[in-house]
Amino acid sequence: MRIALFTETYLPYISGVVTHIKLLKEGLEKLGHQVLVVTADAQARHHYVKDGVLYCPAKTIKRIYNSGLAAPYSHRRVKLIRDFNPDIIHIHTEFGVGLSALHIAKALRVPVVYTLHTMYDEYIYYIAPRHLVPMMTKISHRYFRQFAKRAALITGPSMKCDEYIKNDCKLDRNVNVIPNPVELDKFKPENISEEHKHAFHKKYGIQDDEMLICFCGRIGREKSVDVLLDYWAATIKPEDKIKLIIFGDGPCRPELEEQAARLGITDMVIFTGAVPNHELPPYYAGCDLYVTASLSDTNSISMLEAMATGLPVVHRYDKMNEGQVRNGVNGFIFHNAEEMAQVFRSYRMKTEEEKEAMRSSVRHSVEQAGSVNLAKNLLAVYERAVGQNKD
């Protein structure tokens, strides 16, 4: 098949969506299919294709992590995609590039598959003043509804996406749940050197007798790092020798650092700032557990990357993501601060043999999450969409 993947952001920018598309492209190509990624690029002065990627001129949007936003229509873009002659158009964005995909799919009479990656209600505050958030949320539901309505089939990485389409966008369409992928070889423990792990510990002053628990992601309000800090202050004491290390950067980092200082936990919490993705494997491998209080994620790729290194995930209970983390299998669920702290202490008391058995179970839980399996799952969706288009 010839597959065009439409996304507002792509490499070298790193995010969960970018990683998903990168691995999907790799998996499809390994299976012998041809892929064209269509993306916005604020550095591009004209449309051009390089290494299977069509770069579209865009403007930088500072309020949304300096992302590029392309115009929704371009004659040149239509021509280049017509020349590629796709069998399927797969939309991963709802903005300029995504709107352009809807137009091009209609012009070329090509079926559309739409993947909803993000629960956008959690992100409205980036673009709207607080008093306008309720109104903008309703408008956003109507806007995103058009993508789901015009797609032959819809996919998403968790049942949250199905809930969003049905209850928020008020559309009676089913979402095909296809979990996110992870770069298994990159995060495999045997591919991570002890030297790099020791260097990570030395850089951040981690002592041998300290338990290290990490979170990785965009440091925005939707990630609920503030909840983690409140829980930490309520239940973890310096004499516990348990530290929280937060990998990542974002608009809320300054206020979270102030919160940690106000709560008196700065000696137990480390903010690393942005960490290049290729440096993450020894960072994860140098930790004991991964923790998240976020209720906005659908199927966090950062969480999956940590699991690929063998880190059990300590996850705040999220009804719509039930099953992603299974108690005692690949992690633990907590409902409040006391349960979170109890998980940490109980895990610390395990023998090294028990911990290694747990790490092995965690790695086993994601071993089917590679690029080829993702591609196979989506190829089944593409074939159904093409079949519907012929009927």
Side-chain angles (χ1 to χ4, degrees):
M1 295 182 77
R2 301 173 67 83
I3 302 138
L5 307 175
F6 285 70
T7 173
E8 217 73 40
T9 53
Y10 196 58
L11 301 171
Y13 183 86
I14 296 294
S15 70
V17 175
V18 170
T19 299
H20 179 108
I21 294 164
K22 171 184 176 286
L23 291 177
L24 175 56
K25 181 177 187 289
E26 290 175 1
L28 290 169
E29 289 175 342
K30 284 177 185 175
L31 294 172
H33 302 276
Q34 295 184 59
V35 180
L36 178 69
V37 174
V38 183
T39 189
D41 181 5
Q43 305 303 315
R45 293 294 171 261
H46 58 85
H47 287 78
Y48 68 95
V49 177
K50 182 180 180 182
D51 299 328
V53 181
L54 168 54
Y55 295 94
C56 308
K59 298 224 174 145
T60 299
I61 307 298
K62 290 185 178 179
R63 294 196 69 177
I64 311 179
Y65 297 110
N66 290 317
S67 297
L69 187 65
Y73 184 79
S74 159
H75 287 290
R76 178 66 176 161
R77 192 180 311 159
V78 174
K79 180 186 182 306
L80 289 168
I81 294 167
R82 190 187 297 274
D83 290 345
F84 178 68
N85 191 28
D87 299 299
I88 199 89
I89 281 177
H90 187 171
I91 300 177
H92 294 267
T93 175
E94 297 80 3
F95 304 103
V97 169
L99 288 171
S100 136
L102 290 178
H103 164 76
I104 293 168
K106 184 176 180 180
L108 302 184
R109 298 183 179 179
V110 174
V112 167
V113 169
Y114 165 53
T115 294
L116 174 64
H117 287 279
T118 305
M119 301 294 95
Y120 283 102
D121 291 3
E122 304 287 343
Y123 296 79
I124 297 294
Y125 78 93
Y126 282 115
I127 59 171
R130 187 181 295 272
H131 68 284
L132 293 180
V133 166
M135 180 186 72
M136 290 299 296
T137 300
K138 289 181 181 179
I139 291 171
S140 75
H141 291 162
R142 290 197 294 270
Y143 175 75
F144 297 126
R145 186 176 187 269
Q146 69 176 311
F147 288 88
K149 190 173 181 179
R150 293 174 66 178
L153 292 167
I154 309 164
T155 76
S158 102
M159 283 304 298
K160 268 189 181 179
C161 302
D162 192 76
E163 180 88 358
Y164 185 81
I165 294 296
K166 286 187 169 76
N167 292 353
D168 295 323
C169 296
K170 309 297 182 188
L171 193 62
D172 187 19
R173 297 289 305 279
N174 292 323
V175 172
N176 299 271
V177 176
I178 298 176
N180 275 326
V182 63
E183 295 178 274
L184 295 171
D185 288 342
K186 177 177 176 180
F187 291 93
K188 192 177 290 185
E190 50 264 44
N191 293 338
I192 302 170
S193 75
E194 288 297 317
E195 180 183 353
H196 288 156
K197 286 197 294 186
H198 290 316
F200 159 64
H201 280 180
K202 184 177 180 180
K203 180 176 181 179
Y204 293 103
I206 308 303
Q207 303 302 309
D208 291 342
D209 61 347
E210 290 178 326
M211 185 182 195
L212 190 59
I213 299 166
C214 67
F215 168 78
C216 180
R218 179 194 310 109
I219 310 302
R221 193 182 307 167
E222 70 281 358
K223 298 300 183 181
S224 298
V225 175
D226 61 320
V227 174
L228 279 183
L229 298 182
D230 284 339
Y231 283 10
W232 210 271
T235 58
I236 308 297
K237 306 302 178 188
E239 55 267 29
D240 292 323
K241 293 190 175 182
I242 303 174
K243 284 189 174 179
L244 172 65
I245 187 163
I246 298 166
F247 308 140
D249 209 345
C252 290
R253 181 182 165 192
E255 64 190 65
L256 290 169
E257 290 176 331
E258 290 175 9
Q259 179 185 353
R262 187 172 68 252
L263 293 169
I265 58 173
T266 51
D267 288 343
M268 294 186 285
V269 179
I270 301 167
F271 291 87
T272 67
V275 177
N277 190 259
H278 68 273
E279 294 181 12
L280 276 175
Y283 280 51
Y284 284 137
C287 295
D288 297 286
L289 296 167
Y290 182 97
V291 67
T292 178
S294 175
L295 300 180
S296 69
D297 290 324
T298 52
N299 185 215
S300 166
I301 286 183
S302 295
M303 177 185 79
L304 295 174
E305 290 173 344
M307 291 165 78
T309 68
L311 282 191
V313 171
V314 184
H315 201 302
R316 184 180 173 198
Y317 176 71
D318 184 354
K319 180 175 175 57
M320 294 309 300
N321 277 339
E322 277 185 320
Q324 289 182 8
V325 174
R326 289 164 285 159
N327 267 316
V329 176
N330 59 1
F332 308 92
I333 300 296
F334 67 92
H335 295 78
N336 52 48
E338 289 73 23
E339 288 184 6
M340 181 193 77
Q342 183 56 41
V343 167
F344 297 162
R345 295 188 177 105
S346 295
Y347 187 79
R348 191 173 200 175
M349 294 300 293
K350 290 181 182 294
T351 65
E352 191 51 44
E353 291 75 17
E354 289 172 329
K355 289 178 182 176
E356 182 50 43
M358 183 77 185
R359 289 191 287 265
S360 177
S361 178
V362 172
R363 292 192 295 270
H364 179 73
S365 73
V366 294
E367 65 184 9
Q368 298 302 313
S371 62
V372 171
N373 279 336
L374 173 67
K376 287 179 177 177
N377 288 333
L378 279 163
L379 279 168
V381 174
Y382 297 160
E383 287 163 3
R384 285 167 52 203
V386 170
Q388 289 179 20
N389 199 49
K390 290 177 179 176
D391 291 343

